[in-house]
Amino acid sequence: MGLSVEVEDARSGRIIANVDRLQSHATIADVKARIAEKHSKYYVERISLRLDKKGKSLKDNEQLQNLGIDGKLYFKDLGPQIGWSTVFLAEYAGPLFIYLLFYIRPEIIYGAGAADKPMDQVVKYAAACHSFHYAKRLLETIFVHRFSNSTMPIRNLFKNCTYYWGFAAFMAYFINHPLYTAPSAQQTKFALIAFLICEFGNFSIHILLKNLRPPGTRDRKIPMPDANPMTLLYHFVSCPNYTYEVGAWISFGIMTQCLAVMIFMFCGLAQMTIWAQGKHRRYKSEFKAYPRGRTAIIPYII
């Protein structure tokens, strides 16, 4: 006989599928696979299943017998999906090339004669730092990051690219402008050093997180500092990678003394604070021994 589950569309109330003859140890992933067999449009990555119409999505590895299901699950279509790594590569490659267009070929953007104006040293530093940041992100996406989910809604590709590509052009326009006024050499060098320290700190956290999760698994552990001193920030916050990211953009803004950079930094801080608070809450609910002294992203504050 086996288990039987009726799958109802949470929005329309329409019955999507009746999945029967499931083994006692069947998981949510098994139900998704059976739905995908009946409806080719709804491939597995596109399906979200819940216990209630407005409930949270169930994890693929959760077993039906442990969920207390009364014979019904609720279905939500997540829409067309695209790989996380594809989105990251697209959203990070754009800023790399867009910024360099303003830097290498200013006459295209500002008109004839723009390339004849002597370039301040800070403009060269800014181009190098911006390019380094996004090249680092591209390489981390390929070689370092391990994603909990393989896909995301395809609409995120357009939203994310608009954000990153647009801000890259916004910052590049003012920093590479022929009328740009550079800050003092001392301010530039101080901020450059701070930028590089934050970039290294961000990379250090990403390596720690990679080593925390074995390949091919979704195991979750409490992140703790390792031998790298840059990871000591874990004593204070749950998401030090975001803390270092914000620090890098603050440093870049001080180095260039550019309002457009600080606007980008504050927008990024707002979004990363939301992400960090979400992760912080999940850590505390998942791990009873989670360190109480940590905040989400800014030590002792947020």
Side-chain angles (χ1 to χ4, degrees), residues 187-209:
Q187 176 178 325
T188 298
K189 291 178 181 179
F190 168 80
L192 174 61
I193 293 171
F195 174 85
L196 294 175
I197 291 173
C198 289
E199 287 289 304
F200 178 64
N202 178 264
F203 174 72
S204 299
I205 300 301
H206 288 162
I207 292 297
L208 184 151
L209 291 173

Side-chain angles (χ1 to χ4, degrees), residues 118-168:
M119 186 177 292
D120 289 307
Q121 189 65 38
V122 67
V123 176
K124 299 177 182 179
Y125 287 155
C129 288
H130 191 276
S131 299
F132 173 79
H133 177 79
Y134 283 102
K136 167 181 163 292
R137 282 194 165 191
L138 286 169
L139 292 172
E140 286 176 338
T141 298
I142 297 170
F143 299 110
V144 178
H145 292 321
R146 290 176 179 154
F147 302 107
S148 298
N149 300 309
S150 58
T151 65
M152 68 168 71
I154 196 169
R155 64 179 177 273
N156 287 5
L157 174 66
F158 304 102
K159 179 180 67 177
N160 293 9
C161 286
T162 298
Y163 173 79
Y164 283 105
W165 296 18
F167 264 115

Side-chain angles (χ1 to χ4, degrees), residues 36-47:
E37 290 176 3
K38 295 176 181 289
H39 303 278
S40 57
K41 172 184 177 181
Y42 300 128
Y43 45 89
V44 171
E45 292 80 9
R46 186 170 176 165
I47 300 171

Side-chain angles (χ1 to χ4, degrees), residues 1-4 20-24:
M1 291 289 292
L3 299 174
S4 296
D20 54 14
R21 299 180 182 179
L22 290 164
Q23 297 180 359
S24 60

